[in-house]
Amino acid sequence: MKYLDEFRDEELAQGILAQIRRVLSRPWVLMEICGGQTHAIKRYGIDQLLPPEIELVHGPGCPVCVTPLEQIDKALAIASRPDVTFTSYGDMLRVPGSGRNLFSVRATGGDVRVVYSPLDAVRIAQTQPGRQVVFFAIGFETTAPANAMAVARAKELGLDNFTVLVSHVRVPPAMRAILESPHNRVQGFLAAGHVCAVMGYWEYPAIAKQYDVPIVVTGFEPVDILRGILHAVRLLESGRADVENAYSRTVTPEGNRPAQALIEKVFMQTDRNWRGIGRIPMSGWSLRPAYADFDAELRFDVAAIAPQESPLCIAGQILQGHRKPLDCPAFGSECRPESPLGATMVSSEGACSAYYQYAGSAAAAGE
Amino acid sequence: MCLGVPGKIIAIYEEEGLKMGRIDFGGVVRESCLDFTPEAQVGDYALIHVGFAISLINEDEAAKTLAILREIVDLDDEIGGHPQEDTVP
Ligand code: SF4
């Protein structure tokens, strides 16, 4: 398809790789923020093609991976109620809570349904006025406009049987948390292109300056990722902590204004727990008081939940770029996609699942 | 889930006050909400996330990027020199 094939062109990729080799004079550690980029990197073996001086560490940009365990447990509690139809993006169904997941709730009679778009959940609520329809509104800035729209629609339609369990997170506070860690190794960021398509990248120059790290807005095809790396290496080699846009066909500096306006109308900033990482101040969104009627946590009594994480899982360190999936003793043994211990083994954006799925390329890279 | 996929807008219509479209993802056609891209027109390429267009793909920028990248590669082949890519604002 147009604008896909061209950005997978082998010859272009090789040309950019040659450029990277040419400008490189010493080792650098880059973090790709988005789990979609991690998967592309493993799938196309980009980490093997790069000169060994460039190390890519994998970021927290996997919404399924960072949704905190207590929110998963709340989802399980709500979905188990006989009066509830629980709707969710498909990836969330296999994510382990404390002991079980949404699939097992469904297997024991719970009405759990996968929806493609949150508007589908609103439609279910319209057609089933006798049931409480709950949507699991998780994700980063990319899903926030859609989730905000679902809540705004429900209010417009006057639906009294639709609520959302919100677990929204934002990228910039996570970048700051990573850079402030005493174990931080990241010297430059490949920023998540689709997050920037929504939010723009006006928040990034302040981060780049404060922490002295270049940030390059980067896409998802092999040529896009290599181009992002080339820009980041150039900036690092010339000592410039600037922000550059290497994904200009999709991202503008100001982002999508109508989407930002609706997010702002429905959500407000709040502290959030990130699974495996911990609390990050003002790192997420929750519903504004004007939309409290659509808050599943207020409608259903789920406050007193004490979550239990698998003691083997090191996903938190992986999501901050301190360690890699192959450092985990459970990887591929106790923890596999069919029986995941941590969320990073589940999601199509999780680092552990990327390493497992593309195991051949990881082994060949000698990691 | 959060991966955006580019597709071509093949029809635009209104449904319950929302701007909606039919999007062709290389042969698979799905419905998406176009309310966040009010300027969208039939024939445009859009980036779709969870049933919503969050950005229109700028064809001029795509062509420009490819031209710049091809130039680097060609120069590289011909002279093995050190051509500079553009600096993007
Ligand atoms: S391999 Fe499994 S247990 Fe280990 S960090 Fe990844 S998800 Fe957690």
Side-chain angles (χ1 to χ4, degrees):
Chain A
M1 193 170 73
K2 210 175 172 194
Y3 307 130
L4 268 187
D5 299 343
E6 294 96 322
F7 289 92
R8 291 179 182 169
D9 186 275
E10 168 94 39
E11 206 181 318
L12 272 188
Q14 289 298 342
I16 303 170
L17 272 165
Q19 275 291 312
I20 292 172
R21 282 189 212 104
R22 193 159 286 147
V23 294
L24 191 69
S25 75
R26 56 197 160 121
W28 297 108
V29 178
L30 303 177
M31 173 182 273
E32 81 278 1
I33 303 269
C34 178
Q37 293 166 332
T38 306
H39 269 253
I41 287 163
K42 297 308 285 185
R43 174 170 173 198
Y44 295 103
I46 290 172
D47 50 348
Q48 301 171 59
L49 297 171
L50 286 169
E53 289 88 349
I54 299 180
E55 184 185 354
L56 296 175
V57 294
H58 317 309
C62 161
V64 171
C65 305
V66 301
T67 298
L69 193 52
E70 65 266 23
Q71 291 304 96
I72 308 278
D73 285 349
K74 283 178 194 169
L76 295 168
I78 294 171
S80 304
R81 294 173 57 108
D83 56 334
V84 164
T85 295
F86 194 87
T87 57
S88 167
Y89 298 124
D91 277 4
M92 294 307 287
L93 266 60
R94 288 195 302 126
V95 175
S98 305
R100 54 188 189 140
N101 61 22
L102 284 166
F103 261 126
S104 50
V105 171
R106 179 151 87 181
T108 51
D111 185 5
V112 178
R113 302 188 200 174
V114 171
V115 290
Y116 164 63
S117 155
L119 285 184
D120 298 339
V122 175
R123 273 185 210 121
I124 295 173
Q126 281 177 285
T127 53
Q128 301 195 352
R131 290 190 65 76
Q132 288 292 329
V133 177
V134 182
F135 176 68
F136 202 176
I138 70 140
F140 279 92
E141 291 92 332
T142 44
T143 53
N147 295 349
M149 179 68 88
V151 176
R153 291 292 292 166
K155 191 174 170 103
E156 251 169 61
L157 296 166
L159 293 178
D160 59 6
N161 66 329
F162 180 81
T163 52
V164 287
L165 177 59
V166 181
S167 194
H168 257 299
V169 279
R170 305 192 305 121
V171 164
M175 291 167 77
R176 287 179 182 278
I178 287 164
L179 292 167
E180 270 167 28
S181 161
H183 307 293
N184 174 52
R185 302 177 55 224
V186 177
Q187 295 168 297
F189 280 111
L190 307 180
H194 294 165
V195 166
C196 298
V198 175
M199 300 306 291
Y201 51 91
W202 48 268
E203 276 183 273
Y204 292 169
I207 298 176
K209 282 286 160 293
Q210 184 180 343
Y211 300 96
D212 199 27
V213 288
I215 302 174
V216 180
V217 178
T218 302
F220 293 80
E221 299 302 332
V223 165
D224 290 320
I225 291 171
L226 287 168
R227 185 170 186 233
I229 293 169
L230 174 60
H231 278 248
V233 170
R234 271 203 200 128
L235 288 170
L236 285 164
E237 290 282 344
S238 58
R240 282 186 294 146
D242 289 348
V243 177
E244 288 186 352
N245 182 5
Y247 195 33
S248 58
R249 71 182 181 282
T250 311
V251 175
T252 58
E254 68 279 4
N256 185 321
R257 291 287 194 204
Q260 290 168 30
L262 193 69
I263 292 171
E264 185 61 24
K265 187 176 164 192
V266 174
F267 293 126
M268 60 186 184
Q269 289 189 11
T270 183
D271 296 352
R272 281 269 174 221
N273 277 333
W274 294 53
R275 188 167 191 171
I277 298 176
R279 199 160 196 81
I280 305 179
M282 289 308 195
S283 64
W285 281 306
S286 60
L287 290 172
R288 287 191 181 276
Y291 294 91
D293 286 349
F294 301 92
D295 189 341
E297 292 190 60
L298 298 177
R299 185 159 312 179
F300 306 100
D301 184 20
V302 285
I305 280 176
Q308 280 280 305
E309 189 75 83
S310 163
L312 290 175
C313 184
I314 61 161
Q317 292 174 55
I318 294 171
L319 291 164
Q320 296 170 83
H322 302 163
R323 304 180 76 180
K324 302 240 177 119
L326 298 183
D327 299 330
C328 175
F331 180 88
S333 51
E334 288 99 323
C335 183
R336 310 157 79 90
E338 320 81 79
S339 54
L341 293 181
T344 43
M345 186 57 95
V346 172
S347 166
S348 54
E349 290 143 69
C352 297
S353 118
Y355 274 69
Y356 193 89
Q357 227 174 307
Y358 310 111
S361 58
E367 287 182 65
Chain B
M1 169 205 71
C2 150
L3 294 180
V5 186
K8 187 178 185 175
I9 303 172
I10 54 173
I12 293 179
Y13 51 94
E14 209 190 280
E15 197 180 278
E16 294 185 326
L18 289 182
K19 180 170 181 168
M20 303 293 289
R22 291 176 62 73
I23 315 293
D24 181 356
F25 300 99
V28 180
V29 176
R30 296 198 86 145
E31 178 182 66
S32 282
C33 180
L34 302 180
D35 232 53
F36 296 127
T37 51
E39 72 281 25
Q41 292 181 358
V42 170
D44 287 346
Y45 284 80
L47 184 72
I48 310 291
H49 266 262
V50 295
F52 284 78
I54 55 165
S55 167
L56 293 181
I57 295 165
N58 184 322
E59 301 195 28
D60 293 344
E61 286 293 331
K64 235 193 279 174
T65 302
L66 288 167
I68 292 163
L69 292 175
R70 286 200 185 106
E71 204 175 313
I72 295 180
V73 175
D74 292 349
L75 276 176
D76 216 53
D77 285 351
E78 278 170 32
I79 56 170
H82 299 241
Q84 281 296 305
E85 200 185 339
D86 70 324
T87 41
V88 181

